[in-house]
Amino acid sequence: MPESLPGRRSALRLLAAGATLAALPRGGAEARPLEQVLSTKKLRVGINPTLPPFGLFNERNQIDGFDADVARELARLLKVELEIVQVGSPDRVPFVQADRVDLVMGSITRTVDRALVIDFTMPLHSQSMVVLAREGTSVPLNKPADLNNKDVKLVQVRGTTGIPWIQANAPLAQVTLLDNYPDVFRALAQGRADALVDVYESVLIPMRNQPDVKWRVLDQVLGTMWTGIGVQKGNASLRDAVNVALFDMHARGFVNQAWEKWFGGPMRTPVPLNPMF
């Protein structure tokens, strides 16, 4: 018996809906809650080894650095083994979403956009935007306001956080945009620019790689960003346990000691000890 027109329309709607669902990207795999991490006795932590001193390869070709020290202490407190998984900056959020890691590090700054797709622990460390100047500039640079001068030459990496600050606070300065940090530091070292506005933790290693240049970091911090540890969205049991462990590590000075070990000095902006996380 021929199918009625309304019935055919319903079938077509169901087929179309099925095709639409099939075309949609699959969601990430379900996260391992705390009890599964404890039962398997393994904590998988994503670390970026190309972001020294947060992550780097040591002489044994093993991933080391500040993040690795923190991850090892977290695993010790949770009484599990640590498995370090290599990630790059673009991989950090997708690896958590796909349950390829339980936690992700790599200087993952807490932002609203990221908070929509992953959860964050309490802050592990801060990131501080500062002015880095070389000695012997033609215009004295003693405070950030001194940058707002038509004779000041700034050099910046394209798309970095310092550019909006310059646009708002130092519009008179001459600004040259380059594609990477080696080129920026070469311009500074050669005297083609006077200063750079950037995140202190990002410029520390390039500064050390130019030992013949006398650098000055102005005392005033222009802005502070907070960096936590990424957890898959909704994995509250693991996030809560890591929060308690991080509070313990902050309270007894472990985080600050590890920071000074790898960065050679204290955090520009210390993380406040907040029992409410």
Side-chain angles (χ1 to χ4, degrees), residues 154-230:
L154 299 178
V155 61
Q156 300 289 138
V157 177
R158 299 180 195 276
T160 49
T161 56
I163 296 171
W165 185 93
I166 293 168
Q167 292 170 339
N169 298 278
L172 296 180
Q174 304 174 47
V175 182
T176 299
L177 299 180
L178 299 177
D179 291 328
N180 55 64
Y181 283 103
D183 286 347
V184 163
F185 273 83
R186 194 173 300 112
L188 286 165
Q190 293 172 352
R192 293 184 283 120
D194 301 313
L196 164 72
V197 178
D198 211 309
V199 174
Y200 173 73
E201 293 75 20
S202 297
V203 302
L204 183 64
I205 297 302
M207 281 172 58
R208 291 177 180 172
N209 291 338
Q210 299 277 357
D212 296 332
V213 180
K214 293 183 178 180
W215 302 107
R216 290 188 304 118
V217 177
L218 303 193
D219 291 336
Q220 183 176 339
V221 172
L222 307 179
T224 299
M225 296 160 282
W226 302 102
T227 297
I229 297 176

